[in-house]
Amino acid sequence: MRPSVRQIAAGTALVAVTVAGATGLEAVRESAAATRAVQQAAPGRVALSDPTPASLSRAFRRAAERALPSVVHVRVESVRQARIEVPEPFRGTPWEDLFDRGEGEPIPRQGSGSGFIFREDGYILTNNHVVDGAERITVVLQDRREFDAELVGRDPNTDVAVLKIDAKGLPTIALGDSDPVAVGDWVVALGYPLRLGATATAGIISAKGRQIGIIGRNDGASAPLEHFIQTDAAINPGNSGGPLVNLDGEVIGINTAIASPTGFYSGYGFAVPIDIAQRVATDLIEHGVVRRPKLGVAISDVTPADAEVYGLDHPTGAEVVQIQAGSAAERAGLRLGDVIVAVDGTPVESTGDLMELLARHDPGETAELSVVRYGDRIRLRAELGAFESAVKTARKTADEHEAGVGRLGFDAQELTSGLARRLGIDADAGVVIVRVAAASPAAQAGLAPGMVIERLNGRDVSDIDDLEAAAQAVGPGAVVSLVVRTRKGDRTIVNYRVRE
């Protein structure tokens, strides 16, 4: 049976971290030198008394000791709408349609994952899928202190999210550079797998630039970017959001997924490169959304047949198979069949390489493209456009009484075609309720996921900004009046009083 690739669910918690002191690599290098000397004296034989094992052990120990204080356990509470199923005796019979197969009662759920503190003032990196849909987020530090966390922002396209806790002087972990890492490099993973406490595992980088087709399953992922680091360090459910660290004590990736036929560790895990994650985090903190540059092409990996047709020495690069009208690609002069082999002088081996290299730019910046056009090598300069931001989500803090949409008892998102299909809505624009807090006044009044909000207290709502602006005017204990469209397209009005 072919192993499947599964995203690590937020239903269990663990973190992966690798850290070594600045002297960690020096110890390993010294060990390697000693090993070579012994092997030259007696080829194929390395005695247990040699310094190599002890030195390597000290390197991993320093790494874990430095990293652990910054690794956190992320607990989430959410609500899932139960699906009403047709009883077995009536399935497939003429009486099946007599049963209402809509949403049932909201069911509270708990899950967990991992994260790591990268700024002493309380900013934490984790995975988008760990916190997506969370009604409440709690962060537990290594010293067992617990904090309610605010969701600063999340990006479904890279599966990265940023949390914030109200604390200062926190232990932080160093962010490294994922570009120089190579196959064979040692890494360590720390975290909270399978409801265990903090756990460390070690392995090597087994591949780079992997595309496994999993991020596109995230709600709101409009332009998925996958360029995973693959490792054989043991990663299990609960590792999601934890750091993957090198022996210099620096984070090189965020553990995100595993390849497994069972959903548990079977040999390989995948981490978002820290270079991508750090750029996403900066945008989420400074701008509230991720600014993604857009070239405006559809691309594919080059096959041996493509290489022969386009005059390439071997299959490499990203083939342009479609160009959007009016896009940066069209303005730059790209043509169908062009093969992009470098961006700003950095080689492009695959479509993943191209997307990752372009993602280093801001919209409006210029990228220099090296292109092979039927055997001729040319250079083009493209002034990049911008992708629309991934689904902009109304923020909700852990405190239900905070000003904003969360206090109203529901979460909402700007509607996309994908979200409309998932919720069964015949609409492609507007603001839709995606979750309603269990036992809240909103739930008791009849609000439900899938309702599209048209007006709030007399104010038109066409996007999340409209909704948040209207919600800010609602004080504790005030009455809320919503005009909504149901999934069937009927317009109705829902009135209730928010909690004080």
Side-chain angles (χ1 to χ4, degrees):
M1 183 170 109
R2 184 179 178 184
S4 61
V5 178
R6 302 191 181 187
Q7 196 166 15
I8 298 174
T12 359
L14 169 61
V15 180
V17 181
T18 302
V19 185
T23 60
L25 284 182
E26 295 172 7
V28 174
R29 293 185 186 108
E30 291 171 2
S31 300
T35 301
R36 286 193 295 271
V38 173
Q39 289 173 334
Q40 290 170 1
R45 298 179 61 191
V46 179
L48 291 178
S49 59
D50 291 337
T52 303
S55 298
L56 184 57
S57 179
R58 285 194 296 272
F60 286 122
R61 185 187 307 164
R62 293 187 188 103
E65 288 174 349
R66 184 170 293 184
L68 272 173
S70 66
V71 179
V72 301
H73 183 194
V74 180
R75 295 203 309 254
V76 298
E77 299 174 22
S78 60
V79 175
R80 179 176 63 88
Q81 296 294 131
R83 185 76 178 175
I84 299 176
E85 300 292 344
V86 177
E88 181 64 35
F90 298 98
R91 293 178 189 173
T93 71
W95 295 277
E96 184 175 16
D97 291 338
L98 297 177
F99 294 89
D100 181 3
R101 287 170 286 179
E103 301 288 354
E105 291 296 319
I107 300 175
R109 300 183 66 186
Q110 293 184 336
S112 59
S114 304
F116 53 95
I117 305 166
F118 69 101
R119 280 179 38 172
E120 63 85 25
D121 55 348
Y123 283 95
I124 295 166
L125 270 170
T126 187
N127 279 139
N128 165 77
H129 76 262
V130 169
V131 297
D132 183 20
E135 297 279 340
R136 184 185 184 94
I137 304 171
T138 303
V139 167
V140 184
L141 306 188
Q142 286 289 318
D143 60 11
R144 300 185 181 180
R145 285 185 294 166
E146 297 188 6
F147 294 86
D148 286 335
E150 173 192 358
L151 176 60
V152 175
R154 62 184 185 89
D155 180 35
N157 286 318
T158 56
D159 206 17
V160 173
V162 178
L163 307 178
K164 176 73 164 63
I165 60 175
D166 187 13
K168 302 290 184 182
L170 296 170
T172 60
I173 198 166
L175 301 184
D177 184 354
S178 50
D179 265 358
V181 303
V183 173
D185 286 353
W186 282 105
V187 290
V188 180
L190 293 178
Y192 300 82
L194 307 176
R195 301 188 181 278
L196 299 174
T199 302
T201 59
I204 63 168
I205 299 299
S206 50
K208 291 182 64 179
R210 288 292 196 216
Q211 293 177 275
I212 57 178
I214 197 168
I215 289 183
R217 303 175 194 175
N218 288 340
D219 289 339
S222 56
L225 171 57
E226 290 190 2
H227 207 244
F228 289 121
I229 296 171
Q230 180 178 313
T231 178
D232 66 352
I235 295 174
N236 271 300
N239 270 99
S240 289
L244 188 68
V245 187
N246 63 23
L247 291 187
D248 279 327
E250 302 167 335
V251 181
I252 60 168
I254 302 178
N255 298 314
T256 300
I258 55 178
S260 171
T262 64
F264 299 96
Y265 175 71
S266 293
Y268 298 109
F270 303 91
V272 175
I274 196 61
D275 290 355
I276 294 176
Q278 189 171 5
R279 185 173 185 83
V280 169
T282 299
D283 272 0
L284 289 175
I285 293 170
E286 295 182 357
H287 307 288
V289 295
V290 179
R291 301 172 301 163
R292 287 278 302 279
K294 183 178 182 180
L295 183 58
V297 294
I299 53 178
S300 67
D301 288 329
V302 175
T303 67
D306 293 331
E308 184 174 341
V309 170
Y310 300 132
L312 295 164
D313 295 334
H314 63 283
T316 188
E319 178 193 4
V320 177
V321 296
Q322 185 178 341
I323 300 174
Q324 294 180 358
S327 66
E330 185 180 66
R331 294 192 299 271
L334 276 172
R335 301 178 186 173
L336 292 181
D338 282 351
V339 179
I340 301 173
V341 295
V343 175
D344 301 321
T346 301
V348 170
E349 297 287 337
S350 65
T351 55
D353 289 343
L354 176 60
M355 291 188 291
E356 194 272 333
L357 290 170
L358 289 175
R360 299 181 184 185
H361 289 271
D362 285 329
E365 291 184 350
T366 298
E368 184 175 275
L369 309 177
S370 297
V371 175
V372 174
R373 180 175 291 167
Y374 292 98
D376 294 330
R377 291 183 175 267
I378 60 175
R379 290 186 178 180
L380 301 173
R381 293 175 62 82
E383 184 177 341
L384 300 172
F387 278 105
E388 292 184 8
S389 299
V391 179
K392 188 177 179 184
T393 305
R395 292 184 184 177
K396 181 181 177 186
T397 66
D399 185 352
E400 185 176 317
H401 301 286
E402 275 298 307
V405 176
R407 179 165 45 78
L408 302 186
F410 61 84
D411 287 344
Q413 291 183 358
E414 289 184 3
L415 195 59
T416 64
S417 56
L419 184 58
R421 285 194 301 272
R422 184 172 67 85
L423 294 174
I425 304 170
D426 185 18
D428 57 6
V431 177
V432 63
I433 295 172
V434 293
R435 277 170 293 275
V436 179
S440 66
Q444 295 168 2
L447 285 183
M451 289 183 171
V452 177
I453 302 170
E454 294 186 349
R455 296 175 67 83
L456 193 159
N457 286 354
R459 299 178 63 167
D460 290 336
V461 173
S462 59
D463 56 29
I464 285 294
D465 290 336
D466 290 342
L467 179 59
E468 289 185 330
Q472 289 292 339
V474 179
V479 170
V480 174
S481 180
L482 287 161
V483 176
V484 299
R485 273 197 330 274
T486 67
R487 293 188 181 191
K488 297 180 179 179
D490 300 323
R491 297 176 76 244
T492 186
I493 188 166
V494 178
N495 303 319
Y496 62 95
R497 188 181 300 278
V498 299
R499 290 172 177 163
E500 295 183 357

